[in-house]
Amino acid sequence: MTSRLDLVFSALADPTRRAILAMLLEDDMAVTDVADPFEMSLAAISKHLGVLTTAGLVSQEKRGRVKWCKLEPDALREASVWMQAFGQMDAIDLDAFETYLAQQLQG
């Protein structure tokens, strides 16, 4: 479980990846649509998506010629449960987390 948590926290450490997660809160998106708001190459976005996929935060599926990305919130729940073990943090309110990610994307 520790290595999985390492992957999740490492993925969340990057602001671009957090912005991608915020975008995927709305709906599944094609990789090209994910890349649109960023000033970086499609290859760079694909690498970010690869990190998110490896961490279990995003799944990718090919539909026809288009690769689609979907948020997988269960990985965040596992991190929340782990943090609760310390007794210093409350459970992550996923609605509040969604609001935070949306604000980060706009800011």
Side-chain angles (χ1 to χ4, degrees):
M1 181 167 166
T2 300
S3 63
R4 182 166 172 86
L5 283 174
D6 290 345
L7 291 172
V8 169
F9 287 122
S10 179
L12 293 173
D14 184 88
T16 299
R17 292 192 284 269
R18 290 192 305 270
I20 291 170
L21 291 175
M23 292 167 54
L24 292 173
L25 282 168
E26 299 297 321
D27 201 2
D28 298 358
M29 296 179 76
V31 171
T32 52
D33 293 333
V34 170
D36 278 345
F38 300 99
E39 293 184 15
M40 60 180 73
S41 68
L42 187 58
I45 291 296
S46 291
K47 286 183 182 181
H48 282 296
L49 288 168
V51 171
L52 292 168
T53 300
T54 300
L57 296 168
V58 169
S59 61
Q60 295 186 51
E61 172 188 15
K62 193 151 189 176
R63 299 179 198 161
R65 301 175 117 185
V66 179
K67 189 179 270 190
W68 287 81
C69 303
K70 177 183 177 184
L71 181 67
E72 297 293 341
D74 287 341
L76 291 174
R77 284 188 184 91
E78 290 174 22
S80 175
V81 168
W82 181 84
M83 288 186 288
Q84 287 178 36
F86 291 94
Q88 299 173 356
M89 299 181 180
D90 294 328
I92 292 177
D93 178 345
L94 292 178
D95 290 330
F97 188 63
E98 176 182 355
T99 301
Y100 169 77
L101 288 175
Q103 290 170 348
Q104 292 298 311
L105 181 60
Q106 293 173 354

